[in-house]
Amino acid sequence: MKKNMFLPLSLFVLLYLISAMLRTDAIQIDLAVKNQAPSLGHLFGTDWLGRDMLQRTLKGIQLSISVGLLTALLSTLLGLTLSLIATMHQRLDQLVAWLIDLFLSLPHLVTLILISFVLGGGMKGIIIGLMATHWTGTARVLRAELMQLKDMPYVQMSKHLGRGFWWRARHHFLPHLIPQLIVGFTLIFPHAILHEAAITFLGFGLSAEVPAIGIILSEAMQYLSNGMWWLVFFPGLLLVVMVVLFQQFAHAFQAYIGRDRSYEQLIDD
């Protein structure tokens, strides 16, 4: 089980480190080698400006991973915060439940595009849009857990002894929720990457100057009819490979913590 979990994670981290070591200014324009098919000199070929597609794709992968990690972290924290607020009072619980139902009922991609468009696109728009549309699943699971946990005898004992809500949240709630938070993070991350690439491809995400996968695919579409298939194939393939590697790790990790084990046992392992 551990091998199934850490092998895809190791490949994923290796892919990110390779892309992170590549400098953006190393992607040079060279019109003498423009529109070249894949070869030993340019494994992913070159684009209409002679830029090496392997280097551009790796930088796009780095950006996608960075945006995905930040978005997944913020979405998980937002889901945790709202689920904790829901346990404070019945009225607040009704408000949080209404917000969850509201965002779940809205078309996911359309809502993301609207939020990004209203905020002017760019990095800020894409991160806030992804965060605002990916927290609901985590919040719903955590809220259900907390509704059961707050009625446990030891939690009620702490309340009667005068312990405040945030003390109970830190000492009783959070240690119990850590596995669910990790699982929520691993579920949000691949979706955030794909949705970032999708809305950037549609022109509502990152700016054209950024070497994002969505930008690369969008620019390449006008050259696809000229037989330059490598401009779309390799960036799209590497994006899919990256998402599949992380999903394999996520599924193995969820199976691992799904056993009847406490969080302390997981740490000891």
Side-chain angles (χ1 to χ4, degrees), residues 64-229:
S64 295
I65 293 176
S66 301
V67 171
L69 288 174
L70 180 58
T71 300
L73 177 61
L74 293 177
S75 298
T76 304
L77 291 177
L78 179 59
L80 173 63
T81 302
L82 290 176
S83 63
L84 288 173
I85 291 174
T87 62
M88 298 176 67
H89 194 276
Q90 185 178 1
R91 292 289 181 86
L92 293 175
D93 178 52
Q94 293 173 349
L95 175 61
V96 172
W98 177 80
L99 286 174
I100 293 175
D101 292 337
L102 173 64
F103 276 90
L104 286 175
S105 65
L106 296 173
H108 196 78
L109 191 58
V110 174
T111 305
L112 175 56
I113 291 174
L114 288 176
I115 294 175
S116 179
F117 179 77
V118 169
L119 295 176
M123 188 66 71
K124 180 184 73 173
I126 195 76
I127 290 176
I128 295 177
L130 289 169
M131 178 187 68
T133 54
H134 286 75
W135 62 271
T136 50
T138 301
R140 184 167 57 175
V141 172
L142 295 179
R143 174 177 166 269
E145 289 282 339
L146 287 172
M147 289 298 108
Q148 299 179 6
L149 190 61
K150 73 174 184 177
D151 294 327
M152 297 296 289
Y154 64 91
V155 177
Q156 292 297 317
M157 180 76 68
S158 297
K159 184 177 181 180
H160 292 317
L161 290 174
R163 301 297 186 182
F165 173 80
W166 294 111
W167 188 96
R168 300 196 305 274
R170 188 174 72 233
H171 291 85
H172 296 320
F173 297 160
L174 289 180
H176 178 81
L177 295 178
I178 286 177
Q180 288 87 343
L181 289 171
I182 297 175
V183 171
F185 176 88
T186 59
L187 290 175
I188 293 173
F189 176 73
H191 288 277
I193 288 180
L194 292 176
H195 287 149
E196 176 272 319
I199 67 169
T200 300
F201 175 80
L202 295 174
F204 298 99
L206 301 175
S207 61
E209 296 81 15
V210 179
I213 295 296
I215 295 295
I216 293 174
L217 295 177
S218 178
E219 292 177 345
M221 292 305 295
Q222 57 185 317
Y223 296 92
L224 191 59
S225 59
N226 295 331
M228 298 168 63
W229 54 269

